[in-house]
Amino acid sequence: MAIRKLRMGMIGGGFGSFIGDVHRKAASIDGMIELVCGAFSSSAEKSKASGKALFLPEERCYGSFEEMIYRENELPDDEKMDFVAIVTPNHMHFPPAKMALEHGFHVLCDKPMTLTLDEAYQLVDIVKDSGKLFALTHNYTGYPMVKQARALVARGDLGNIRKIQVQYLQGWMSTAVEKTENKQASWRVDPKKSGIGGALGDIGTHAENLVEYITGLKIVELAADLGRFGKGRILDDDGNVLLRMHNGAKGTMSISQIALGEENNLAIKVYGDRGSLEWHQENPNKLVTHWLDKPVKIYTPNGNDLYPEALESCRIPAGHPEGYLEAFATIYKNFASHVLAVLNDEHDSKFDYPTVDDGLRGMQFIYASVESDKANASWTKLS
């Protein structure tokens, strides 16, 4: 029986990477994972320097992801990495994910899952054929109050879902930050690195995923009106989307990265015929519910009346804030638990984390939104 820390390799996330540091911190929180190797940059020199700064052995600081996967695969089973975390810009998600899976490694990848929809369909098949696990970092699903919201809907407490409102508003691209030395902005406005969606891929997929995760409902059709307000920008930096859910519920989505003054304003409201709920990422430790025949009720992490689904992701006593890193860590924890279960031949175990199927949904959402926008916001089905 495997009772040990899992060995993680990382692709991307070197010097100057915000998200690489987030991944490393999140992976370490629950003490289940150890970073053992990496190819941290497209520059071999920068990659090896980043690995050295992270105190990794020189021989496991690789110059490319291809070298890392080949050489790790040649190591003994008790030394090689168990899985790889891919924390690169969008255009470099599919190639290393494909190679890692085909060489027998589990994969955890940033969203959106791929550069193109065609790559997403290919990756679904590759994951299935490989028999390996694939996790996608829709990290906002890791918050305890998001899991409580999902449980409330799934258990029928809110009744039949009728209406959904979701927003993800940022203002950090209100000016032409991509024309400065801001690396995070420069690749996001480049279709060759970001894909056909700008804000759609970066934050819209989080909003889409949150809607489907909490409600358990699928978006079947949408009508998207996208904006490109930044001078010279090809990709969307703003948008409003109408949603039709498979049960007949209606939804509205507002996304923006040019909403001046907004920081990371992700929020969702779900309305049923017996109750409703409201959650804000910038105040993540409160889930507000309203009821047809009961007083308003506010849930908090490790507070009263939480369902087991929420309690499982609470780490500290009530009243102590749990935030972004802890939510991110929940994705890692649940994925790591599943990897360990597979190592112990416990293949029937169920674990709650976003998968390759969620990644495909995100890419379908991006492509349907762009298609709808080009057709003057006409109703478009998700393929």
Side-chain angles (χ1 to χ4, degrees), residues 26-91:
S28 70
I29 282 178
D30 291 294
M32 300 174 67
I33 298 167
E34 178 183 10
L35 179 68
V36 298
C37 64
F40 300 101
S41 171
S42 56
S43 161
E45 182 180 356
K46 290 181 180 178
S47 175
K48 292 178 181 180
S50 294
K52 183 179 180 180
L54 292 167
F55 307 104
L56 293 177
E58 184 177 351
E59 68 273 14
R60 299 187 80 173
C61 301
Y62 300 107
S64 69
F65 76 82
E66 294 95 341
E67 180 191 10
M68 183 180 88
I69 292 171
Y70 278 132
R71 287 180 56 184
E72 287 292 316
N73 195 43
E74 293 173 350
L75 292 175
D77 288 344
D78 61 352
E79 293 182 25
K80 68 174 65 175
M81 65 182 180
D82 295 298
F83 75 95
V84 61
I86 301 172
V87 299
T88 58
N90 304 350
H91 71 297

Side-chain angles (χ1 to χ4, degrees), residues 361-372:
R361 291 294 295 171
M363 293 306 298
Q364 291 171 332
F365 165 78
I366 293 170
Y367 272 68
S369 296
V370 171
E371 180 183 344
S372 172

Side-chain angles (χ1 to χ4, degrees), residues 265-269 278-286:
N265 191 353
L266 171 62
I268 187 169
K269 298 179 181 180
E278 179 176 355
W279 180 79
H280 294 259
Q281 191 275 155
E282 292 184 339
N283 188 18
N285 293 296
K286 288 187 178 181

Side-chain angles (χ1 to χ4, degrees), residues 159-199:
N160 296 318
I161 303 305
R162 295 170 165 176
K163 184 177 180 64
I164 304 155
Q165 289 184 314
V166 65
Q167 66 181 42
Y168 200 154
L169 305 176
Q170 298 176 335
W172 71 287
M173 296 186 74
S174 294
T175 60
V177 287
E178 67 270 23
K179 296 178 181 178
T180 66
E181 295 183 0
N182 190 320
K183 294 181 180 179
Q184 301 301 318
S186 60
W187 72 259
R188 281 175 167 82
V189 301
D190 182 355
K192 293 180 181 179
K193 295 182 178 180
S194 183
I196 67 170

Side-chain angles (χ1 to χ4, degrees), residues 70-296:
Y70 278 132
R71 287 180 56 184
E72 287 292 316
N73 195 43
E74 293 173 350
L75 292 175
D77 288 344
D78 61 352
E79 293 182 25
K80 68 174 65 175
M81 65 182 180
D82 295 298
F83 75 95
V84 61
I86 301 172
V87 299
T88 58
N90 304 350
H91 71 297
M92 288 304 297
H93 288 178
F94 179 74
K98 177 178 184 293
M99 185 176 179
L101 290 162
E102 290 176 344
H103 283 76
F105 295 107
H106 305 289
V107 172
L108 181 144
C109 184
D110 266 340
K111 40 55 54 193
M113 186 169 73
T114 53
L115 184 71
T116 69
L117 182 56
D118 180 63
E119 286 180 348
Y121 282 115
Q122 289 184 58
L123 197 54
V124 170
D125 290 336
I126 291 168
V127 170
K128 182 178 180 181
D129 292 342
S130 73
K132 297 300 174 181
L133 303 180
F134 184 96
L136 197 70
T137 54
H138 278 303
N139 52 290
Y140 299 108
T141 64
Y143 280 104
M145 292 303 91
V146 169
K147 295 195 180 298
Q148 177 68 9
R150 175 181 168 90
L152 287 169
V153 175
R155 292 166 185 254
D157 293 5
L158 270 60
N160 296 318
I161 303 305
R162 295 170 165 176
K163 184 177 180 64
I164 304 155
Q165 289 184 314
V166 65
Q167 66 181 42
Y168 200 154
L169 305 176
Q170 298 176 335
W172 71 287
M173 296 186 74
S174 294
T175 60
V177 287
E178 67 270 23
K179 296 178 181 178
T180 66
E181 295 183 0
N182 190 320
K183 294 181 180 179
Q184 301 301 318
S186 60
W187 72 259
R188 281 175 167 82
V189 301
D190 182 355
K192 293 180 181 179
K193 295 182 178 180
S194 183
I196 67 170
L200 274 172
D202 195 23
I203 58 176
T205 51
H206 275 309
E208 167 269 326
N209 178 258
L210 199 63
V211 166
E212 294 198 344
Y213 180 77
I214 288 178
T215 67
L217 303 174
K218 297 295 184 184
I219 302 167
V220 292
E221 263 187 316
L222 56 77
D225 180 22
L226 306 179
R228 297 159 187 85
F229 289 98
K231 186 177 180 180
R233 286 181 186 159
I234 300 171
L235 302 178
D236 61 280
D237 52 20
D238 184 83
N240 297 296
V241 188
L242 296 177
L243 308 173
R244 288 174 177 166
M245 313 304 292
H246 79 255
N247 74 328
K250 309 296 184 182
T252 61
M253 177 187 297
S254 181
I255 61 171
S256 184
Q257 293 182 313
I258 52 87
L260 186 64
E262 297 287 359
E263 293 179 341
N264 202 56
N265 191 353
L266 171 62
I268 187 169
K269 298 179 181 180
V270 178
Y271 300 90
D273 59 8
R274 292 168 52 193
S276 65
L277 62 82
E278 179 176 355
W279 180 79
H280 294 259
Q281 191 275 155
E282 292 184 339
N283 188 18
N285 293 296
K286 288 187 178 181
L287 175 67
V288 180
T289 59
H290 294 81
W291 305 97
L292 186 65
D293 54 1
K294 295 184 291 186
V296 173

